[in-house]
């Protein structure tokens, strides 16, 4: 019998029990009662997560008995069938709906003393939670969703260590590529140094700070929880279902595909699923050669440079286009081969417009079997585009003057939504156009003030042509 849950419970009870004793120093509370409170907290979490999908499998129940019978919370001779027919799971999943009294007490102490007991609880309860849902060979969607919901619930309650507000630059959208197509195609660059593994929650907090993309954030958190559980099982020598980590990112330009890909590379590195953790971005020009036999070599070089990290192939659908003498199809075959050869050492993401990406995956069995999951990036709303504009302005030390906010919303609304809508790139165009008009306006001012140099007026915004290049 796997005793992973027993070890996780003992660790949680020891560390949280010690924290409770420390927090209660100077009071008359019995330390033995506090240690028992920590065990009961672990029991509540374990039974709630096991009940999250209503399955109550034998593997889960045997582990539950092994973990809690030593603490007299369950009979040592209890059988799975007996537990399923008992009342121990009645209403248990509701425990996950609100922060526990114990957690809120620790957070209250933190607010008074400036301690970090709440953060310790969060780290330990999440480690325990992932152990619980690793008891089955493949965790259910309901269990993964329950863990993600618990993460958000506790982070919102923490007095310290919560994700901060978006900072200038915390905008999902276009940015400098980690490796350009030309570099990947022409340089025999040495492998980059491994990216330092960061605390997983710090990377997820950065993900949460991005504007919009709520559904994408949820997908990434669910994927992260699954990968963390699978790694737990592999580390303990338990069987793991073979699953592809490769993804399809579907969305219009400027919707944050590259930004999220960078964060995913850091997440994979934090989980120790890739050795280096860098992102390499490439497109058709970096994969397709002009002569027979060169394309496969070119693709192999790209994969070699990206090995140990994440490879983002932008506008991947363009590989299907071209006439009889085009080598895009050869590139597709080479990509499929390299994806299979390096399936354990790197992650590949295919990105592009929604309709074209769906056609690419459906038309090629090699892609459809190796890229089973698609993450959809929706267009930003006008309010989200405005929020991105404000971040860009803040980074450049500009401010919107009277009426400029309304002018920007009207400018965004004037653009037709549909295939190719620019999103983040559209915002960048508006900002750069408005700055150019401000410069033209101020050139006639002999000694402009700081306020004039900072302000973008409604006229500066409205003067940028609608429908320009994106």
């Amino acid at each position: 019998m796997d005793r992973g849950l027993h070890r996780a419970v003992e660790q949680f009870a020891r560390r949280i029990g010690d924290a409770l004793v420390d927090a209660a120093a100077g009071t008359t509370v019995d330390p033995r009662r506090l240690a028992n409170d920590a065990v009961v907290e672990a029991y509540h979490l374990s039974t709630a997560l096991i009940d999250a999908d209503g399955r109550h499998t034998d593997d889960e129940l045997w582990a539950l008995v092994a973990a809690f019978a030593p603490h007299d919370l369950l009979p040592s001779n209890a059988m799975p069938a007996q537990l399923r027919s008992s009342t121990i799971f009645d209403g248990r999943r509701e425990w996950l709906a609100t922060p526990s009294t114990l957690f809120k007490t620790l957070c209250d102490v933190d607010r008074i003393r400036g301690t970090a007991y709440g953060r310790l609880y969060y780290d330990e309860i999440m480690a325990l939670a992932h152990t619980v849902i690793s008891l089955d060979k493949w965790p259910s969607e309901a269990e993964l969703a329950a863990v993600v919901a618990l993460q958000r619930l506790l982070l919102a309650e923490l007095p310290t260590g919560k994700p901060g507000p978006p900072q200038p630059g915390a905008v999902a959208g276009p940015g400098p590529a980690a490796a350009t197509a030309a570099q990947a195609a022409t340089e025999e660059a040495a492998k980059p140094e491994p990216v330092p593994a960061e605390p997983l929650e710090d990377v997820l907090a950065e993900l949460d700070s991005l504007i919009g993309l709520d559904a994408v954030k949820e997908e990434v958190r669910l994927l992260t929880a699954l990968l963390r559980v699978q790694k737990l099982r592999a580390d303990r020598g338990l069987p793991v279902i073979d699953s592809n980590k490769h993804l399809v990112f579907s969305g219009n330009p400027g919707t944050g595909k590259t930004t999220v890909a960078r964060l995913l590379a850091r997440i994979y590195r934090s989980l120790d699923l890739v050795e280096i953790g860098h992102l390499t971005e490439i497109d058709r020009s970096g994969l397709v050669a002009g002569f027979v036999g060169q394309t496969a070599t070119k693709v192999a070089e790209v994969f070699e440079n990206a090995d140990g990290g994440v490879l983002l192939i932008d506008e991947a659908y363009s590989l299907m286009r071209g006439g009889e003498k085009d080598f895009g199809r050869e590139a597709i075959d080479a990509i499929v081969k390299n994806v299979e050869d390096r399936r354990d050492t790197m992650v590949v993401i295919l990105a592009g417009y929604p309709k074209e990406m769906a056609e690419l995956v459906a038309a090629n069995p090699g892609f459809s079997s190796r890229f089973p999951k698609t993450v959809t990036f929706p267009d930003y709303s006008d309010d989200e585009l405005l929020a991105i504009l404000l971040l860009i302005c803040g980074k450049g030390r500009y401010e919107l003057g009277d009426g400029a906010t309304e002018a920007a919303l009207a400018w965004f609304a004037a653009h037709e939504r549909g295939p190719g809508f620019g999103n983040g790139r559209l915002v960048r165009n508006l900002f750069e156009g408005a700055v150019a008009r401000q410069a033209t306006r101020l050139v006639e001012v002999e000694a402009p003030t700081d306020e004039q140099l900072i302000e973008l007026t409604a006229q500066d915004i409205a003067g940028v042509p609608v429908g320009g290049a994106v």
Side-chain angles (χ1 to χ4, degrees):
M1 180 192 300
D2 172 54
R3 297 184 64 81
L5 180 60
H6 172 77
R7 291 190 293 270
V9 167
E10 295 305 306
Q11 174 178 300
F12 179 87
R14 181 177 67 256
R15 293 183 178 175
I16 299 306
D18 289 347
L20 288 170
V21 170
D22 190 43
T27 71
T28 59
V29 179
D30 185 350
R32 290 172 298 180
R33 198 200 84 185
L34 296 175
N36 185 66
D37 287 346
V39 174
V40 172
E41 190 84 352
Y43 177 77
H44 288 326
L45 172 80
S46 300
T47 52
L49 280 177
I50 290 174
D51 190 49
D53 59 3
R55 292 193 305 181
H56 310 158
T57 65
D58 282 3
D59 286 340
E60 291 173 326
L61 299 181
W62 283 124
L64 193 69
V65 172
F68 293 104
H71 299 283
D72 296 327
L73 292 175
L74 288 173
S76 59
N77 60 350
M79 304 293 287
Q82 294 173 307
L83 294 179
R84 275 192 286 266
S85 62
S86 71
T87 60
I88 68 168
F89 292 109
D90 289 357
R92 293 308 306 148
R93 69 188 72 175
E94 296 174 8
W95 188 86
L96 301 169
T98 56
S100 72
T101 300
L102 189 152
F103 175 60
K104 289 194 289 186
T105 299
L106 290 175
C107 289
D108 288 341
V109 173
D110 289 342
R111 294 184 183 96
I112 296 170
R113 300 185 186 176
T115 49
Y117 298 126
R119 183 70 195 203
L120 173 65
Y121 175 100
Y122 171 83
D123 291 338
E124 293 300 324
I125 205 79
M126 293 316 304
L128 178 59
H130 284 88
T131 300
V132 173
I133 65 172
S134 75
L135 296 173
D136 286 327
K137 190 174 182 180
W138 188 260
S140 68
E141 286 287 336
E143 289 173 328
L144 292 170
V147 169
V148 170
L150 182 63
Q151 284 179 319
R152 296 191 185 281
L153 182 72
L154 299 183
L155 284 172
E157 183 74 19
L158 277 177
T160 58
K162 292 189 293 185
Q167 299 299 314
V171 180
T180 65
Q183 288 173 325
T186 61
E187 295 181 5
E188 287 289 344
K191 281 270 192 246
E193 290 294 318
V195 175
E198 306 165 75
L200 179 61
E201 289 305 326
D202 290 353
V203 187
L204 292 174
E206 191 171 332
L207 172 73
D208 283 340
S209 75
L210 299 178
I211 292 170
L213 301 178
D214 290 345
V216 173
K217 295 171 186 176
E218 190 71 10
E219 288 275 10
V220 171
R221 278 192 172 270
L222 287 170
L223 175 63
T224 301
L226 175 60
L227 293 172
R228 186 172 174 180
V229 166
Q230 293 297 85
K231 187 173 187 305
L232 273 174
R233 291 183 62 87
D235 290 346
R236 298 208 305 267
L238 296 172
V240 176
I241 292 179
D242 191 18
S243 61
N244 283 316
K245 299 187 290 288
H246 311 302
L247 301 165
V248 174
F249 280 5
S250 172
N252 278 327
T255 48
K257 297 186 292 294
T258 301
T259 300
V260 174
R262 288 197 189 100
L263 289 168
L264 267 177
R266 292 162 58 193
I267 288 170
Y268 290 138
R269 179 71 180 119
S270 295
L271 293 171
D272 199 26
L273 295 173
V274 292
E275 185 177 353
I276 299 176
H278 60 308
L279 174 72
T280 301
E281 187 180 359
I282 202 76
D283 60 16
R284 176 190 166 91
S285 66
L287 296 167
V288 179
F291 300 95
V292 175
Q294 289 185 341
T295 292
T297 301
K298 203 171 185 180
V299 171
E301 290 174 355
V302 169
F303 272 77
E304 175 62 28
N305 290 333
D307 198 31
V310 173
L311 174 62
L312 176 66
I313 303 177
D314 199 17
E315 298 182 355
Y317 53 82
S318 64
L319 296 171
M320 294 186 64
R321 297 174 177 173
E324 293 181 1
K325 298 183 179 181
D326 183 80
F327 297 105
R329 303 270 179 174
E330 182 183 343
I332 290 176
D333 293 339
I335 289 170
V336 170
K337 179 182 184 303
N338 279 275
V339 165
E340 187 62 31
D341 291 346
R342 300 175 187 267
R343 61 182 301 161
D344 296 325
T345 61
M346 65 182 292
V347 176
V348 181
I349 300 174
L350 307 178
Y353 295 133
K355 179 175 180 293
E356 287 83 351
M357 290 306 299
E359 292 173 350
L360 170 66
V361 174
N364 191 288
F367 280 163
S368 61
S369 62
R370 290 168 179 82
F371 295 84
K373 187 170 187 60
T374 296
V375 179
T376 302
F377 288 70
D379 290 332
Y380 290 109
S381 68
D382 290 345
D383 286 338
E384 290 169 341
L385 294 175
L386 176 63
I388 294 172
L389 176 62
L390 291 173
L391 284 179
I392 294 174
C393 287
K395 188 175 182 180
R397 294 195 64 190
Y398 286 91
E399 296 178 358
L400 298 185
D402 291 341
T405 295
E406 292 75 15
L409 287 171
W411 194 86
F412 294 135
H415 285 79
E416 183 179 351
R417 301 299 177 105
F421 180 71
N423 291 286
R425 299 178 190 180
L426 191 73
V427 179
R428 175 63 64 179
N429 286 349
L430 174 60
F431 173 73
E432 292 175 353
V435 169
R437 277 152 185 78
Q438 183 219 45
T440 301
R441 175 170 53 80
L442 293 180
V443 74
E444 300 178 1
V445 179
E446 183 175 347
T449 64
D450 288 352
E451 289 76 13
Q452 289 174 312
L453 290 170
I454 288 173
E455 182 185 35
L456 296 178
T457 68
Q459 290 73 29
D460 295 332
I461 298 289
V464 179
V466 172
V470 175

